[in-house]
């Protein structure tokens, strides 16, 4: 049995609920969107029983200003915290509150939060 590809599931889940692109790589082209969300798998406890696996996901919310990035991050946080009630195989959610996290490689504002997502291995 393998754990689900939670990153792919979350990319689709968030994209269906947000009015911004949801990506796994930060767009760096001159025509990049003003607002977008980036997901990165940053570890997690991994398998801790025959049917349980925990993934850690870091979510970056980008916008033109810190206030707009914070609002987007709060929308993402609301969706992430509701995952146990969604069709995804997430049993609970813990993590950090979204915080301002300036990105030194771009002029866009960024807010970041990290979530631990225990999942069911099917």
């Amino acid at each position: 049995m393998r754990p689900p590809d939670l990153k792919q599931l979350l990319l689709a889940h968030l994209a269906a609920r947000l009015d911004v692109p949801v990506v796994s790589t930060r767009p760096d082209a001159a025509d990049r969107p003003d607002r977008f969300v980036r997901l990165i798998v940053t570890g997690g406890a991994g398998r801790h029983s025959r049917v349980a696996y925990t993934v850690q996901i870091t979510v970056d919310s980008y916008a033109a200003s810190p206030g707009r990035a914070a609002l987007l991050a709060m929308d993402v946080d609301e969706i992430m915290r509701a995952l146990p009630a969604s069709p995804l195989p997430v049993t609970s959610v813990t993590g950090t509150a979204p915080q301002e996290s300036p990105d030194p490689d771009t002029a866009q504002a960024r807010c970041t939060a990290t979530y631990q997502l225990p999942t069911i291995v099917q």
Side-chain angles (χ1 to χ4, degrees), residues 37-62:
V37 170
R38 177 178 65 170
L39 299 181
I40 306 168
V41 177
T42 52
R47 189 179 295 268
H48 44 93
S49 78
R50 187 167 183 257
V51 296
Y53 189 88
T54 298
V55 174
Q56 179 172 287
I57 302 278
T58 297
V59 182
D60 294 326
S61 298
Y62 285 84

Side-chain angles (χ1 to χ4, degrees), residues 1-117:
M1 291 191 289
R2 289 191 150 169
D5 186 345
L6 201 54
K7 181 177 180 180
Q8 289 303 316
L9 293 171
L10 282 170
L11 285 168
H13 186 76
L14 287 170
R17 285 157 181 79
L18 296 169
D19 63 349
V20 301
V22 181
V23 299
S24 59
T25 303
R26 186 186 70 214
D28 286 330
D31 63 345
R32 72 177 163 257
D34 288 336
R35 297 181 338 137
F36 63 93
V37 170
R38 177 178 65 170
L39 299 181
I40 306 168
V41 177
T42 52
R47 189 179 295 268
H48 44 93
S49 78
R50 187 167 183 257
V51 296
Y53 189 88
T54 298
V55 174
Q56 179 172 287
I57 302 278
T58 297
V59 182
D60 294 326
S61 298
Y62 285 84
S65 71
R68 289 185 178 155
L71 288 173
L72 178 56
M74 292 307 295
D75 289 342
V76 170
D77 189 65
E78 188 174 307
I79 295 166
M80 295 296 288
R81 302 286 177 178
L83 285 174
S86 78
L88 274 62
V90 174
T91 58
S92 64
V93 177
T94 59
T96 63
Q99 295 296 314
E100 188 174 349
S101 177
D103 184 336
D105 296 327
T106 179
Q108 284 179 294
R110 174 179 71 175
C111 283
T112 300
T114 299
Y115 302 92
Q116 291 77 40
L117 307 172

